[in-house]
Every structure is written in C-alpha cells, then in structure tokens.
Amino acid sequence: MYKLEDIRQIHLEVTQNCQASCPMCDRNMNGKGVNPHIDLSELSLEDCEAMFPPEFIAQLDSMYMCGNLGDPIIAKDCLQIFQYFRKHNRDMWLSMNTNGGAQIPAWWAGLASTFNHRGAVIFSVDGLKDTNHIYRQGVSWDIVERNMRAFVKGGGRARWDFLIFEHNQHQVERAKALAMEIGCENFIPKKTGRFVTATTQPKEEHEGSNRKGTESIELKKPDDKYVNKALTTQQKLIEKYGDMDNYYDAVPIKCKVASSGNLFITAEGMAMPCCWTAGRMYKWWHKDPRVEQIWDFIDAHGGKQGLSVIENGLPAVFDSGIFDSINDSWNKTSCADGKLKVCAMKCGIEWDPFTEQFK
C-alpha cells in the first residue's frame, strides 16, 4: 500500500472522549450511553512525542485531528500536541474537525496562533441556536458561537460544516450568512450519507434517543435537493448486482488514502490505514466486536499490541505487513474469501456516499 517514507499526512484520533452524544456516532448507542466496547482512551503529549519523532514530523505535509469516537478539543493535551507538531515543522498544514463546544476563548486564540494561517478548524455545527442540539446533543450553542468568534478573532481560519436533516434544512442560508458574518472562510452544507442501516440497506429515518434514554429523537432525511446523491442511486446498484454484498464482492477498490500518503492513528496509539478500517473495530451493536473482519487482519499482524506505535514505533508497525496485507486482499474474489469489506464499502469505485456529502 505504502511505506513509512511515503507518509505525508497524519490523521490523529487524539481521544475517545466527547461531551456530545450524537445519535449517528459510533461512540454511543444511538445517543444513549457510551459504546460498551471502548475504554475512553486518550493520547497524551508524551505519547505523541514517542510516536512521532522530529525527523518524521519534518517529512509531513499535514496533520489533522478528527476521530471516530471523540472530539479533539476534549483531549487534555490537544493544544500542546498541535504545538509540538508546529515546533518541528513550521510549514505543514494543521487542522481539526470539532463540534466547537468546549474550551475557553483564550485556548482558541492560542490554537489560532499555533496554526498561524497554515491550518484551519472545521466546525461541525448542524443548525442554529434552536436546532444544533437536536443532533449535537450535549453541545451548547452559546459556547460554540463564542468559540468560533474567538478563534477567528485570534487570526484563525475557519470552515463551518452543516449536516442537513429535515429539522434544520430551512436554516441553511441563514447559517451560511452567519458563517460569513463570523468570518469563516467557507460554509459547507453537507449531505449526510448515514441514512443506511448497519448492513448499508437504505432507510428514510434514524431513530435515536437522548443520553439517558428517556426521550426518543427521530432524524429524517431532508428534501430531495439536500439528499446525498449516492443514496438516490443505491437502488440501481442493488438492481445491477442483486444486493450490496454482491457489489462489495465485485467492485474494484481505489483507495482514498494510499495516494496521498495518509496514516490513521487511533486514540489507543494503533496505526491503521484510515479511520474507516479502524472504525470497524468497536461497533457497539455487536455483543463481541471482534466478529468484524478487520480483526482478522489485526490479529494476523501482532494484535493491538503489535500495531501499537507507542510500544513499538512506526517502523516496526510498518514491518508487520498489515498495510500490504490489506492491499493484497483487494484482489480476492469475494469478501468471504478475504477481501476487506470495509475497503469495498468506502472506496469501491461505483458508490461513494462520502465524496457525495460535499457536492
């Protein structure tokens, strides 16, 4: 797939902690309670210093924080880790995705200073004061708006990403106007691709709950103009192949991360090719998360301990062969034969809900 010297981007999941309970996030069970398979791991500055020596950081073009299971700004050492990368590479691009609902204005000003115009924050804010909390449960609008303004005022470059649902679609233009007034450089109305079941079957709505499980939350698709195009073409794909599993068996894979030299580091300190492969490790709806196929690849190459960059260093993890093994699996005749299914799901060339989010 690639070699250590080819890595130019680090995608860092710095923590599994988050103050929010978004109903479509794997960190919690449809909004209710924390995923029972995670231990709320978090990387420290010391961990990052051990994993990423200065000479490695010098070869990078970018580092961005965005996780499957947590929000970077909740991590105790988030700012210090960004400062460590900046210290050893003055030119690289630094960024993160966040709900924006934590830390104080001075912290955000410090982040803007660290990025120093060579970086950006993508604020994931899905509505205005009366709607953002419907999906971003537990996130205070007042804190989000205060922090966005503090970051921009401090010289930071900001982008606002807005997931569109039925309940907030009427606010897209108002939110865009507010983004421009705050000083965001861009506003992206995102067409979510998550209106599918765990087996990627189409669905029209998502049933969630609040954190305590005392109230239900119904998330519905927006109007057609805001629906992810991949979801509208999925039925044709099913008609062509018979079902989605047959599609995954047959489809060629064009990896989204290999060509850019991107490496994902989990909050446990494991190296994986991308957030999608790592994202199959702890699906909350499984009694035993190890039923997922990705564990076959992990166990065959030293297990979690063997793939720990903290314990072994990046060269040893690359020498384990897991990246080549995943790449080789794409030539298998089917997922049952060993083709890594998550790669077909996310990087199959005929169906791409991820890219369609931004169109």
Side-chain angles (χ1 to χ4, degrees):
M1 181 180 289
Y2 43 38
K3 299 178 181 178
L4 179 58
E5 56 267 29
D6 298 326
I7 300 302
R8 294 294 178 267
Q9 300 177 358
I10 290 294
H11 180 175
L12 187 63
E13 179 183 50
V14 71
T15 186
Q16 293 178 351
N17 290 289
C18 186
Q19 88 281 32
S21 52
C22 305
M24 289 178 163
C25 176
D26 283 348
R27 186 181 183 275
N28 56 79
M29 300 174 287
N30 287 332
K32 177 187 176 183
V34 175
N35 182 332
H37 304 311
I38 65 174
D39 61 7
L40 304 181
S41 293
E42 183 169 299
L43 297 173
S44 66
L45 173 61
E46 183 179 20
D47 291 332
C48 290
E49 289 173 338
M51 291 190 292
F52 309 117
E55 59 270 21
F56 174 75
I57 294 176
Q59 81 181 43
L60 298 177
D61 296 327
S62 68
M63 185 276 277
Y64 61 103
M65 293 188 188
C66 179
N68 293 316
L69 302 166
D71 193 298
I73 62 174
I74 302 299
K76 175 180 175 290
D77 291 346
C78 175
L79 179 56
Q80 290 85 351
I81 292 168
F82 274 125
Q83 290 170 338
Y84 172 67
F85 274 81
R86 176 58 77 218
K87 176 182 178 181
H88 295 292
N89 189 326
R90 308 302 298 179
D91 299 319
M92 70 184 301
W93 184 262
L94 300 174
S95 65
M96 72 172 174
N97 291 66
T98 176
N99 63 51
Q103 301 294 350
I104 61 175
W107 187 94
W108 287 95
L111 185 68
S113 176
T114 300
F115 284 5
N116 193 26
H117 302 290
R118 292 186 297 278
V121 170
I122 297 90
F123 289 94
S124 299
V125 183
D126 310 319
L128 298 173
K129 186 167 186 173
D130 60 333
T131 55
N132 184 56
H133 65 279
I134 295 174
Y135 183 70
R136 300 283 168 181
Q137 297 185 93
V139 178
S140 165
W141 169 266
D142 291 337
I143 293 175
V144 171
E145 183 176 0
R146 181 199 71 188
N147 290 343
M148 291 176 73
R149 292 184 182 279
F151 179 70
V152 172
K153 184 179 179 181
R157 303 174 66 176
R159 187 180 98 196
W160 180 336
D161 280 7
F162 184 111
L163 280 175
I164 310 172
F165 300 96
E166 182 188 66
H167 66 261
N168 65 9
Q169 62 183 353
H170 63 289
Q171 297 179 320
V172 170
E173 292 305 317
R174 286 170 55 199
K176 181 178 181 179
L178 179 59
M180 298 302 104
E181 186 267 312
I182 288 172
C184 296
E185 292 188 353
N186 206 353
F187 175 85
I188 305 293
K190 287 178 66 177
K191 301 172 182 177
T192 178
R194 293 189 179 183
F195 280 103
V196 292
T197 68
T199 56
T200 58
Q201 300 306 307
K203 65 179 180 180
E204 294 300 312
E205 58 188 42
H206 183 87
E207 189 74 25
S209 71
N210 64 0
R211 183 169 284 177
K212 295 181 180 179
T214 57
E215 297 179 17
S216 62
I217 299 166
E218 190 174 62
L219 300 171
K220 294 183 178 181
K221 278 184 178 179
D223 291 345
D224 289 346
K225 68 177 181 178
Y226 292 131
V227 171
N228 188 300
K229 184 179 178 181
L231 302 185
T232 68
T233 61
Q234 187 177 11
Q235 188 56 43
K236 292 182 179 179
L237 204 66
I238 292 172
E239 292 171 1
K240 177 180 178 180
Y241 288 96
D243 59 31
M244 291 302 292
D245 283 337
N246 288 340
Y247 164 72
Y248 297 140
D249 286 342
V251 68
I253 291 167
K254 184 177 181 180
C255 181
K256 288 183 172 67
V257 302
S259 61
S260 59
N262 187 300
L263 182 69
F264 183 73
I265 305 295
T266 74
E268 297 174 296
M270 289 176 58
M272 297 290 283
C274 63
C275 62
W276 295 308
T277 49
R280 303 307 301 185
M281 292 175 62
Y282 300 121
K283 294 300 186 184
W284 62 263
W285 53 84
H286 295 311
K287 184 176 181 180
D288 178 4
R290 295 175 63 86
V291 300
E292 286 282 342
Q293 186 188 20
I294 189 62
W295 285 100
D296 296 339
F297 290 83
I298 293 171
D299 291 342
H301 296 89
K304 287 172 60 175
Q305 184 174 1
L307 298 178
S308 170
V309 184
I310 298 172
E311 294 187 29
N312 307 296
L314 280 169
V317 174
F318 271 80
D319 286 344
S320 74
I322 187 170
F323 303 111
D324 290 334
S325 180
I326 289 173
N327 185 88
D328 292 345
S329 82
W330 303 338
N331 296 316
K332 299 286 187 178
T333 58
S334 69
C335 298
D337 185 44
K339 180 182 183 181
L340 186 53
K341 186 175 182 178
V342 65
C343 297
M345 293 170 67
K346 301 301 182 180
C347 295
I349 63 173
E350 292 184 51
W351 195 63
D352 190 359
F354 174 77
T355 300
E356 291 295 336
Q357 290 182 104
F358 304 97
K359 294 183 178 180

